[in-house]
Amino acid sequence: MAYDEALAERVRGVIGEHPGLREQKMFGGLAFLVDGNMSVGIVGDELMVRVGADGYDDALDQAHARPMDFPGKPMRGFAYAE
């Protein structure tokens, strides 16, 4: 599965350059890691965001968020942003 390169460029523009930030292809998409931990990623044309276990329920209360269910199973601590 390819990832949306235009979305990747938008993410790059928002997060800019930071020490410890790197990109890595994984899960058929693209992940942005900070000090080795995934923070944001793109799967197909969807943006996934690490919200953490403590912020998970609050994140899902937001209008444009839904549970991340890759690969078909919910991953607590991550959400898709629409």
Side-chain angles (χ1 to χ4, degrees), residues 14-70:
V14 170
I15 61 177
E17 294 184 23
H18 298 282
L21 176 69
R22 68 183 171 94
E23 296 180 24
Q24 181 173 330
K25 291 182 181 179
M26 58 174 39
F27 308 121
L30 181 66
F32 293 83
L33 295 91
V34 177
D35 296 328
N37 297 305
M38 185 168 33
S39 59
V40 178
I42 303 167
V43 178
D45 62 352
E46 297 192 280
L47 178 68
M48 61 179 181
V49 180
R50 182 182 205 139
V51 296
D54 292 342
Y56 184 72
D57 293 327
D58 288 336
L60 295 182
D61 285 341
Q62 302 301 309
H64 299 286
R66 64 181 174 82
M68 182 181 163
D69 57 356
F70 182 84

Side-chain angles (χ1 to χ4, degrees), residues 1-24:
M1 169 189 304
Y3 60 89
D4 184 329
E5 184 59 43
L7 180 55
E9 283 300 317
R10 288 178 59 198
V11 170
R12 289 180 188 112
V14 170
I15 61 177
E17 294 184 23
H18 298 282
L21 176 69
R22 68 183 171 94
E23 296 180 24
Q24 181 173 330

